[in-house]
Amino acid sequence: NMAAAKARIDNISSNGKPAIFENWQEWLKLTDESLQAIYMIGIQRYEDGLFEEAKGVFLFLTRCNFSTFEPWFALGLADEALQRYQEALYDYSVALVMQPESPSCYLHSAACYVQLGDSANARAFLEIGQELEASWNDSDNKLFAQIKKYI
């Protein structure tokens, strides 16, 4: 039954938290340098158009350290490229908790909302991203111009 299964999961722990919430980086004894090297593999897969492979790498990295912005944002990019817009929105929202001043997260969220046909949320996220225009990069400028065509 469901309660028994939950109880078993809750008991699988070394520190009182369910194992799924433990820091895999510590558990696997990975250095920050190792995680950075793995991240670069994910970036290369993404740039090569291997979005599913990139997603797997970034998903692994989010489990290694839940509180790192880059893998969550990159996971959002991979999900967005795979047209999994709801998943990408979740990824971007987690990334925004860690780095709320990231204009790219707001702009990519707006793009996802455009794809989902939700122009009200697309406009809201676009406006927030636009407020952070001072820190835009070239990619943000291009994405903004694309989104403006649709809303």
Side-chain angles (χ1 to χ4, degrees):
N1 81 27
M2 189 62 83
K6 183 180 179 333
R8 278 195 300 274
I9 291 170
D10 287 344
N11 287 330
I12 302 172
S13 172
S14 61
N15 63 3
K17 293 187 291 188
I20 192 166
F21 295 115
E22 291 179 5
N23 183 323
W24 287 13
Q25 181 178 2
E26 292 172 18
W27 182 57
L28 295 171
K29 299 183 183 348
L30 295 170
T31 64
D32 289 342
E33 293 77 20
S34 296
L35 293 181
Q36 184 62 30
I38 294 167
Y39 178 75
M40 295 311 298
I41 292 169
I43 293 294
Q44 188 61 55
R45 296 293 187 272
Y46 181 86
E47 289 175 352
D48 290 344
L50 302 170
F51 304 122
E52 197 69 54
E53 287 184 26
K55 177 185 170 129
V57 171
F58 300 136
L59 187 60
F60 171 77
L61 290 169
T62 65
R63 299 315 185 258
C64 286
N65 187 339
F66 287 140
S67 61
T68 305
F69 169 82
E70 289 80 7
W72 282 106
F73 179 69
L75 182 60
L77 292 175
D79 277 327
E80 187 177 353
L82 291 164
Q83 300 178 353
R84 296 176 183 152
Y85 303 113
Q86 291 288 0
E87 290 179 40
L89 286 168
Y90 174 80
D91 305 333
Y92 295 139
S93 70
V94 174
L96 281 168
V97 167
M98 289 169 263
Q99 198 168 313
E101 71 285 355
S102 169
S104 297
C105 279
Y106 292 104
L107 295 174
H108 279 278
S109 293
C112 288
Y113 280 118
V114 166
Q115 293 298 323
L116 293 169
D118 185 343
S119 58
N121 275 320
R123 263 190 230 93
F125 276 84
L126 188 65
E127 287 172 14
I128 297 168
Q130 202 168 5
E131 290 173 13
L132 301 167
E133 185 174 2
S135 58
W136 283 9
N137 57 37
D138 289 340
S139 184
D140 293 333
N141 284 316
K142 291 175 187 170
L143 184 56
F144 177 80
Q146 290 173 339
I147 296 168
K148 282 300 277 184
K149 292 177 188 175
Y150 297 101
I151 56 173

